[in-house]
Structure formats: C-alpha cells, structure tokens
Amino acid sequence: MSCPICQNLTDPAFRPFCSKRCADVDLARWMNGGYAVPSTDPEDVEEAMDQAARAAERQEKPH
C-alpha cells in the first residue's frame, strides 16, 4: 500500500501513511476543509445563511 499523501510505502506505525509528517499533512487538510464536499443543494445553502444570520443577531443584542 502506498501513502495517500506522497505515494511512498507505508510504515506500520503510521499506516496508512509513511510518516508522522504525512499523517500531519492529512490532518491539516481535514482541519482546514481541504477534504470538504461542497454542496449544491439550495436547502443547505439557505439553512447555513439562516443560521449565520441568527448567530449575528445574537451577537448584536446587548446583554
């Protein structure tokens, strides 16, 4: 099996990666949204916009 990041042979200690570096690169991609699947569903977009608007309203209200 080859490392999904650099294509080198995998190391059992870091499987499916070849090294800690490649495992960290993969983790960073997940955390930064590099592996996100974009949605073209209008309902998803509308719901996200509604949630953002509600969150902004809550932040604007004085306590």
Side-chain angles (χ1 to χ4, degrees), residues 5 14 17 19-31:
I5 303 300
F14 301 104
F17 307 102
S19 65
K20 181 169 178 4
R21 179 198 164 277
C22 283
D24 289 344
V25 167
D26 184 71
L27 178 60
R29 288 180 183 173
W30 278 107
M31 294 179 76

Side-chain angles (χ1 to χ4, degrees), residues 3-54:
C3 175
I5 303 300
C6 70
Q7 308 309 313
N8 286 330
L9 291 177
T10 60
D11 181 330
F14 301 104
R15 193 164 187 216
F17 307 102
C18 67
S19 65
K20 181 169 178 4
R21 179 198 164 277
C22 283
D24 289 344
V25 167
D26 184 71
L27 178 60
R29 288 180 183 173
W30 278 107
M31 294 179 76
N32 292 326
Y35 292 139
V37 178
S39 173
T40 57
D41 187 350
E43 292 177 11
D44 290 344
V45 173
E46 289 175 18
E47 179 63 26
M49 290 175 64
D50 289 344
Q51 287 179 3
R54 286 192 297 270

Side-chain angles (χ1 to χ4, degrees), residues 52-63:
R54 286 192 297 270
E57 288 174 3
R58 284 192 300 269
Q59 289 180 348
E60 291 175 3
K61 289 182 181 178
H63 296 280

